[in-house]
Amino acid sequence: MSIASKYDPASAEAKWYAYWMEHKLFSSKVDPNKEPYTIVIPPPNVTGVLHMGHMLNNTIQDVLIRRARMQGKNACWVPGTDHASIATETKVVNMLKEQGIDKKSITREEFLKHAWEWKEKYGGIILEQLKKLGASCDWDRTAFTMDEGLSDAVLTVFVDLHKKGKIYRGIRMVNWDPQGKTALSDDEVITKEIQSKLYYIKYQIEGTENEFLTIATTRPETIMADVAICVNPNDTRFTHLKGKKAIVPLINRAIPIIEDEYVDMEFGTGCLKVTPAHDINDYELGLKHKLEVIDILNDDGTLNEKAQILVGEDRFIARKMIGKLLKEVDQLDKIEDYKSNVGHSERTDAVIEPKLSMQWFLKMDEITKPALSSVMDDVIKLYPPKFKNMYRSWMENVRDWCISRQLWWGHRIPAFFLPNGEYVVAKTAEEALLIANEQYGEKYSLEDLKQEDDVLDTWFSSWLWPISVFDTEVFKTGQPNEDLKYYYPTNDLVTAPEILFFWVARMIIAGYEYMGEKPFKNVYLTGIVRDKLGRKMSKSLGNSPDPLELIAQNGADGVRTGMLFSSPAGNDLPYDDKLVEQGRNFANKIWNAFRLVKGWEIDPNLDGSANRSSIQWFENRFNQALGEINEHFEKFRISDALMTTYKLVWGDFCSWYLEMIKPEYQHPIDQETYDKTISLFEDILKILHPFMPFISEELWHQIKNRTVEESLILASWPEEKSFDLEIIQEANQIFEVVSQVRNLRASKGMSPKEALELTINTKNQGVYQRFESVLNKLANLASLSFAEKVDNAISFVVKSDECFVPMGDSINVEEEKANIQKELDYTKGFLNSVMKKLSNERFVSGAPAKVIEMERKKQADAEAKIKALEDSLAKLG
C-alpha cells in the first residue's frame, strides 16, 4: 500500500467519521457482561454554534470516552441540546421583528409554532459541528430537553414536588431582567464592577425652610419610590429628627424618618433612603417597619404612572434627567465618581432590577442536604478539589430557587387557576378539573380553568438530564428501566466551573431526590479559554477564532491536541494559535515517522542482534510512560497525559529510537527489528487514539488491512507492565553523551561526517559496551575506548563519567578550563537548590517518599558530577 507524502486531515476525517458512523461503532447497548462507562454531554443551547469553550470541553469528553472504550468498557456518551428558554425566545422574537411581526400581536400558539420551526432549522447545528471535532457520541440517543418524554418528566417532577410541599407560589423580591422581561434566579445574575456616579441629594425636613438631610445614592431615578428615610438610633447627629418627616424632592411627598441599627453610620452621610420596591435590603427593612411599597418601574425598565414624573422614560435616561432636575431646584449637593457592583442578566447582559413579583419557588433548605454532604465527603469528587469550598459556600447559603420565567418558550407550569382565585397543580387540564371539583365541591368545566402563563426555568429540566436521557417514566413509577439501572450513576461529568451551581449542584440534588443516588462519580471542571491578553474569548471582542476554520486549516487532531496542550483542570487555557500549529506539526511528525518505517526494505537474512538493546530500551520506556499516562488519567490530569504521550512519541520514539535502529542510506533492515518496530508503532497509535482519533485510525489501517472489528477505536488499551528503570537510565546517559558530542562538533565547527575518537573514564564500562553500536552510529565515532586520562583532549562530564575527545595540538586549555568552570558553577548552584529542599523539614515530612527519593538521587548525581568536573580542572592544571 503506497503512503501519501503528506497527511491530508480533511480526507482522513471525512472517511473515518463516516466509517465509524456507518458501522455504529459509537453505539452502546446494555450488556451485563461489560462494565458501563457513561458520560452525559452538558447539553449546549439550541441557539449555539461551536465556540472554543465547546471545543475544549467536548475534546476532553471524547478523550475519556475513547480511552474507556479501548479499556473494554461499554462506553456511552449521550448527546443532546437544551431548549434555553431566554436565549431561544430572544432569537425568535428578533427573527419575527425582522419579518415585521411583534410578539405582542400574535398568540402564544402562533409564537410557539415559529419557535419550533426555528428550532428544527437551527437547533441541531452545534451537534453537527461536534462531529467535525471527532466526537464519538451515541447519536441514536440524542435528546432534547423539550422532547415529549423529557417534557413529561419535568411536569411529573413539578407536580410531585408541589405535593411534597417543596414548591410554593408567592410574592417575593426577585431579580428582574427588563430586557428578557422575566425573573431570574440568583445564579443567573453576574455581578460586574462598573464605573457609576454617586448622587448626593438634599431632602428638605418637613416644616422647615432651610433644614435638609443629604443622602447619597447611585439610583436617583428611584427617589419617587422612597417611602422613608432611615438613620441609626445611635447617631447623635440625627436625634433631633426623631418622629419628623422629610419631603421627597421633585414630587413633594412627605415620608417618615425612621430609626434602625441596620444603617451604617460611617457610610455616606449616615442616612439611607428606603425604597422597598427596588432594593432587596430596603424590602426587608420595609417589612420590619410595615412600610408602603411603591413600584415605579414597568417590566421593561421604563417609569410608570406611580413615578408621577418622567412617565414612560427608560430608567437610565430618567437617571440623568433626574440629576438635571434636582440641580435646577438646588437639591443636588454634588456628584462623585463611584465604583459599584451591579448585577447583570447572565443571558441578556441587561442590568438587573430587584422587583417584587408573584413567582413560583422551590424550597432549597432540606432538599440540598444530601447534595452538600456527597461532595464534602468525596462521594462525588470535584477536579480540581479547590472548587469544593465554593460549592459548600453556595449550598450552605442557598436561597429558595425562583423557578418561574415570564416567557412562552419552555415547559409551561402545570398549574390551573379557578374562577374562585385558587389554583390546582396537575399535569393536564383534565386532571386539574377532577381535582378542582373534588376539592371545592363545585362543577367547574374546562373553560373555567386558565393555565399559568409562565414557563419553568431552563435548569428545572436540565437538572434531570442524567436520569431523563435514559428513562422518563421513572419519575412516575419509581422503577428504573434497564437503561437507567445499567448506565446510572454516570461516571464523569465534564463542564465549566461557571455552571457548578446552575447545573451541577442541581443535578446532584435531583439525583438524590429521585434516585437516592449520586448522578455521577467525578466532575472535571475545565478552565475558560482566554486570549493572549487574558480576556475571555467571545464574538463581541472579536478575539475568538472560528473553530471550524481552525479544523479546516490544522485538522481536527491538530486542534484537539492544541487545545489540550495547556489546559489543566480548573485553570484557564491561555489559547495561542501556535498550540494548534504544534498539534498539526505533531500529526505530520507521526505521519512522516510511519512513512520512514514503511519505506524500509527488509532483508530476512540480516542479523538484528545489534538493535536488541535499542528495542529493549524503548519497550521499557514505553511501559514507564504508559504507567505515567494511566496515572494522569486516573487523576484527571488530561493535559499531562497528552504531554507525556507527546514526549514519548516525538522525543523517545522519533528522535531517539528510530535513529538508533534506522538502517544506513539505501541499506535494508532486518526482519526482527522491522516487525518489532511495527508492533511498537501499533502500541503508540493506541495511546494516541483518544487524543488524535483520525490520524491514528488512518495509520492503523495503513499498517495492514483490518476488519471493522479490528478497527483501532475498538482495539485494546495497552496493558501496563513492569519496566527496568536501570536500562532507561543507562540509555539516558548514552543520549547525554551523544548530545554532548554533537554540541562539541557544533561549537568547534566540525563536520558531522568527521568520525571522532571517544575515550571515557568510567567505573561502569558495561553501560557503554551495551549501547556501543548506538554510540558509534549517533555520535559518529571512529572508536570508543576507556582510560583515566587523555592528553590534548576536550573533556565533558556525564553523571560522574569524564569523556575525552582528542583534539591534537588544536586545544585551547584556557578556554576548556573556562567551560568546565562554568559547568561546575552551574552544577554547584543546582546542588545548592536541592539541598535547600532536603534541609526543609516541612518539605521532607510532607512530600511523598517517591519525591524525596528523586531529590536524593539528584543530590548524588550532582555531587558525583562536581567531583568529576573538579578532577578535570585539576588535570588541566
Side-chain angles (χ1 to χ4, degrees):
M1 188 188 291
S2 63
I3 304 156
S5 60
K6 283 188 178 174
Y7 174 54
D8 179 7
S11 65
E13 287 160 18
K15 174 172 74 176
W16 291 112
Y17 205 86
Y19 182 88
W20 294 326
M21 290 284 281
E22 180 194 347
H23 297 291
K24 293 200 172 290
L25 300 187
F26 306 153
S27 180
S28 177
K29 300 277 187 295
V30 172
D31 182 350
N33 299 315
K34 264 185 163 186
E35 178 190 343
Y37 176 84
T38 319
I39 292 180
V40 291
I41 204 168
N45 291 351
V46 283
T47 58
V49 291
L50 202 61
H51 61 60
M52 299 301 278
H54 292 132
M55 297 271 278
L56 174 63
N57 190 301
N58 287 283
T59 294
I60 291 167
Q61 289 176 80
D62 196 46
V63 167
L64 295 172
I65 277 285
R66 286 181 182 271
R67 178 171 176 265
R69 198 181 280 123
M70 294 177 79
Q71 288 177 308
K73 295 172 185 172
N74 190 352
C76 179
W77 183 10
V78 183
T81 46
D82 190 284
H83 64 279
S85 293
I86 299 174
T88 305
E89 182 140 334
T90 303
K91 289 264 187 192
V92 177
V93 166
N94 290 339
M95 177 193 75
L96 292 174
K97 214 178 270 180
E98 286 169 14
Q99 297 171 16
I101 302 169
D102 186 346
K103 179 189 168 187
K104 291 174 189 167
S105 69
I106 59 175
T107 65
R108 184 183 193 120
E109 287 66 32
E110 288 168 332
F111 177 82
L112 289 175
K113 186 171 177 287
H114 287 293
W116 277 106
E117 284 170 2
W118 187 94
K119 183 264 171 186
E120 292 309 316
K121 189 172 180 182
Y122 300 105
I125 288 175
I126 191 165
L127 297 184
E128 289 306 309
Q129 291 174 329
L130 284 177
K131 293 176 182 178
K132 298 279 184 196
L133 187 66
S136 60
C137 302
D138 184 348
W139 296 107
D140 293 337
R141 291 181 178 273
T142 303
F144 173 54
T145 50
M146 277 173 60
D147 283 342
E148 190 178 340
L150 276 77
S151 293
D152 185 69
V154 170
L155 302 185
T156 301
V157 165
F158 183 95
V159 172
D160 176 63
L161 290 171
H162 185 267
K163 259 186 203 161
K164 290 172 178 172
K166 292 180 180 178
I167 284 178
Y168 65 93
R169 183 171 181 261
I171 295 176
R172 296 284 184 280
M173 180 71 77
V174 297
N175 304 299
W176 186 261
D177 177 347
Q179 191 174 319
K181 297 188 189 67
T182 179
L184 302 175
S185 67
D186 290 345
D187 318 312
E188 290 169 299
V189 178
I190 296 169
T191 302
K192 300 181 187 177
E193 187 178 75
I194 62 168
Q195 193 66 47
S196 54
K197 304 281 184 190
L198 198 56
Y199 295 76
Y200 287 79
I201 302 169
K202 297 193 292 186
Y203 288 67
Q204 190 173 2
I205 304 301
E206 188 183 42
T208 70
E209 282 197 21
N210 290 311
E211 191 175 359
F212 294 89
L213 269 180
T214 302
I215 298 174
T217 179
T218 57
R219 305 196 61 201
E221 75 278 9
T222 64
I223 63 170
M224 295 83 76
D226 290 353
V227 295
I229 286 172
C230 191
V231 296
N232 192 304
N234 304 311
D235 197 333
T236 53
R237 292 174 293 176
F238 307 117
T239 307
H240 66 291
L241 297 176
K242 190 172 180 179
K244 294 194 176 182
K245 292 188 174 184
I247 308 295
V248 178
L250 305 180
I251 60 168
N252 300 318
R253 177 162 48 78
I255 55 174
I257 297 169
I258 63 171
E259 295 179 314
D260 198 290
E261 290 188 350
Y262 166 75
V263 178
D264 183 352
M265 293 189 286
E266 305 299 319
F267 182 76
T269 61
C271 303
L272 178 75
K273 73 187 204 68
V274 184
T275 320
H278 301 293
D279 182 276
I280 184 66
N281 296 314
D282 289 11
Y283 174 65
E284 300 293 339
L285 205 56
L287 287 176
K288 184 177 175 182
H289 292 272
K290 298 184 173 57
L291 298 173
E292 183 185 4
V293 176
I294 303 172
D295 185 348
I296 63 163
L297 289 177
N298 294 314
D299 287 351
D300 62 356
T302 55
L303 271 62
N304 63 28
E305 290 76 11
K306 289 179 185 172
Q308 300 180 46
I309 57 173
L310 305 178
V311 175
E313 290 290 356
D314 178 77
R315 56 191 168 145
F316 296 121
I317 293 169
R319 181 176 296 179
K320 289 178 181 175
M321 293 174 77
I322 293 282
K324 285 180 185 172
L325 293 172
L326 287 168
K327 205 168 187 180
E328 285 170 14
V329 295
D330 196 27
Q331 283 189 271
L332 184 64
D333 189 40
K334 61 180 177 177
I335 301 175
E336 290 180 346
D337 287 331
Y338 183 73
K339 279 186 179 171
S340 59
N341 293 316
V342 177
H344 289 68
S345 167
E346 191 251 348
R347 291 293 181 208
T348 65
D349 201 39
V351 172
I352 291 301
E353 282 293 339
K355 184 178 173 66
L356 276 175
S357 180
M358 177 67 82
Q359 301 288 343
W360 294 86
F361 295 88
L362 174 63
K363 290 179 185 175
M364 297 290 273
D365 50 355
E366 288 298 321
I367 202 170
T368 55
K369 284 178 180 174
L372 172 58
S373 60
S374 66
V375 171
M376 289 303 103
D377 297 340
D378 285 333
V379 174
I380 297 171
K381 290 183 179 174
L382 302 187
Y383 292 90
K386 68 179 181 182
F387 286 106
K388 279 174 72 172
N389 286 335
M390 265 171 68
Y391 181 88
R392 181 177 61 202
S393 173
W394 184 76
M395 294 293 265
E396 287 179 346
N397 298 288
V398 70
R399 291 186 183 181
D400 286 356
W401 175 10
C402 177
I403 56 175
S404 45
R405 299 290 180 269
Q406 288 63 56
L407 302 164
W408 282 350
W409 173 251
H411 300 102
R412 194 170 178 182
I413 290 176
F416 299 84
F417 292 91
L418 308 170
N420 67 2
E422 298 291 338
Y423 66 84
V424 171
V425 169
K427 279 168 69 176
T428 65
E430 289 75 15
E431 285 177 38
L433 187 63
L434 286 170
I435 296 167
N437 285 328
E438 189 181 313
Q439 206 163 315
Y440 297 105
E442 309 237 3
K443 276 290 167 195
Y444 292 118
S445 67
L446 285 173
E447 287 70 37
D448 293 323
L449 303 185
K450 184 184 181 304
Q451 188 174 354
E452 167 68 87
D453 283 325
D454 293 354
V455 298
L456 286 158
D457 176 11
T458 296
W459 304 103
F460 195 86
S461 54
S462 57
W463 76 324
L464 307 176
W465 188 250
I467 306 170
S468 60
V469 293
F470 295 113
D471 185 357
T472 56
E473 294 295 305
V474 69
F475 303 102
K476 282 186 273 195
T477 64
Q479 296 300 314
N481 65 14
E482 289 306 305
D483 263 18
L484 190 58
K485 275 187 208 166
Y486 182 71
Y487 291 112
Y488 189 96
T490 67
N491 292 72
D492 302 325
L493 180 77
V494 181
T495 191
E498 57 261 37
I499 56 172
L500 181 58
F501 315 127
F502 284 137
W503 188 48
V504 180
R506 288 175 179 156
M507 281 190 289
I508 298 172
I509 293 166
Y512 281 103
E513 183 69 16
Y514 287 99
M515 296 297 294
E517 169 71 291
K518 59 183 179 284
F520 26 71
K521 295 163 189 167
N522 304 297
V523 180
Y524 178 101
L525 296 154
T526 65
I528 295 168
V529 184
R530 298 190 181 275
D531 66 11
K532 290 179 192 172
L533 301 175
R535 299 174 303 174
K536 185 176 178 178
M537 286 194 160
S538 69
K539 274 188 189 173
S540 58
L541 285 175
N543 64 345
S544 180
D546 181 332
L548 295 179
E549 278 181 27
L550 275 183
I551 290 173
Q553 291 161 7
N554 301 283
D557 290 332
V559 175
R560 287 165 68 110
T561 48
M563 293 295 291
L564 289 178
F565 272 133
S566 62
S567 59
N571 290 328
D572 292 348
L573 165 67
Y575 174 79
D576 190 324
D577 284 333
K578 286 177 184 171
L579 292 170
V580 171
E581 287 166 19
Q582 186 183 349
R584 181 191 64 202
N585 294 342
F586 187 32
N588 291 335
K589 182 80 171 175
I590 296 160
W591 185 265
N592 290 334
F594 182 73
R595 283 188 70 237
L596 174 74
V597 173
K598 288 297 274 185
W600 291 335
E601 187 186 331
I602 305 161
D603 183 347
N605 300 314
L606 275 180
D607 176 24
S609 56
N611 288 327
R612 281 177 195 154
S613 60
S614 301
I615 292 168
Q616 190 188 4
W617 159 71
F618 188 76
E619 283 178 328
N620 280 281
R621 174 67 194 112
F622 179 87
N623 286 323
Q624 181 190 38
L626 180 63
E628 291 168 12
I629 291 162
N630 286 338
E631 186 181 351
H632 289 319
F633 270 116
E634 296 317 307
K635 293 179 178 173
F636 287 86
R637 297 193 298 239
I638 313 297
S639 182
D640 293 340
L642 172 61
M643 281 312 297
T644 303
T645 307
Y646 177 82
K647 287 173 183 173
L648 174 76
V649 177
W650 191 298
D652 296 313
F653 186 73
C654 297
S655 299
W656 288 116
Y657 175 75
L658 291 182
E659 291 300 311
M660 290 157 86
I661 57 112
K662 183 171 71 174
E664 288 181 40
Y665 180 62
Q666 290 191 332
H667 281 64
I669 194 165
D670 65 279
Q671 188 77 50
E672 180 189 353
T673 302
Y674 179 80
D675 290 346
K676 196 64 206 175
T677 302
I678 289 293
S679 173
L680 292 170
F681 204 95
E682 286 181 332
D683 281 341
I684 280 171
L685 291 177
K686 287 176 183 177
I687 60 169
L688 278 169
H689 182 75
F691 303 108
M692 308 177 84
F694 293 109
I695 191 171
S696 58
E697 190 75 82
E698 172 68 28
L699 292 177
W700 183 255
H701 290 265
Q702 290 263 12
I703 288 172
K704 63 180 180 186
N705 290 324
R706 304 190 196 246
T707 64
V708 173
E709 292 74 27
E710 293 171 326
S711 295
L712 180 57
I713 190 174
L714 302 177
S716 295
W717 185 254
E719 189 184 332
E720 199 176 316
K721 298 171 188 165
S722 60
F723 58 88
D724 181 349
L725 185 60
E726 193 176 344
I727 194 170
I728 295 169
Q729 290 171 340
E730 286 176 356
N732 287 341
Q733 195 168 327
I734 298 300
F735 300 152
E736 176 66 16
V737 173
V738 171
S739 299
Q740 290 277 17
V741 172
R742 288 174 176 175
N743 291 342
L744 176 64
R745 286 181 197 279
S747 67
K748 300 298 177 189
M750 299 164 74
S751 166
K753 292 179 181 175
E754 183 185 342
L756 299 176
E757 295 173 11
L758 179 67
T759 302
I760 303 175
N761 177 14
T762 179
K763 290 175 181 170
N764 192 357
Q765 293 181 16
V767 174
Y768 299 98
Q769 288 163 342
R770 187 154 43 252
F771 286 98
E772 186 169 358
S773 61
V774 171
L775 260 178
N776 290 339
K777 184 179 191 177
L778 299 187
N780 189 14
L781 300 182
S783 67
L784 173 66
S785 58
F786 301 96
E788 282 191 16
K789 186 182 174 187
V790 176
D791 292 329
N792 297 324
I794 291 176
S795 69
F796 56 86
V797 174
V798 173
K799 291 200 178 287
S800 58
D801 295 348
E802 193 173 8
C803 305
F804 305 93
V805 177
M807 300 297 287
D809 297 329
S810 63
I811 186 168
N812 181 327
V813 174
E814 291 309 313
E815 187 181 312
E816 285 312 303
K817 282 165 74 174
N819 286 338
I820 292 170
Q821 186 63 53
K822 188 177 175 184
E823 194 174 354
L824 181 60
D825 292 342
Y826 171 81
T827 311
K828 283 181 175 176
F830 174 76
L831 176 62
N832 194 32
S833 68
V834 172
M835 295 312 294
K836 268 186 188 171
K837 272 190 191 175
L838 291 172
S839 61
N840 182 331
E841 281 182 33
R842 280 181 65 189
F843 172 75
V844 174
S845 60
K850 212 174 180 180
V851 173
I852 302 295
E853 188 187 335
M854 185 81 74
E855 292 303 314
R856 296 217 186 281
K857 188 176 183 311
K858 285 181 190 174
Q859 176 192 350
D861 287 349
E863 286 170 346
K865 190 168 186 177
I866 287 167
K867 186 179 183 308
L869 287 166
E870 286 173 343
D871 288 348
S872 298
L873 267 183
K875 286 169 189 169
L876 286 169

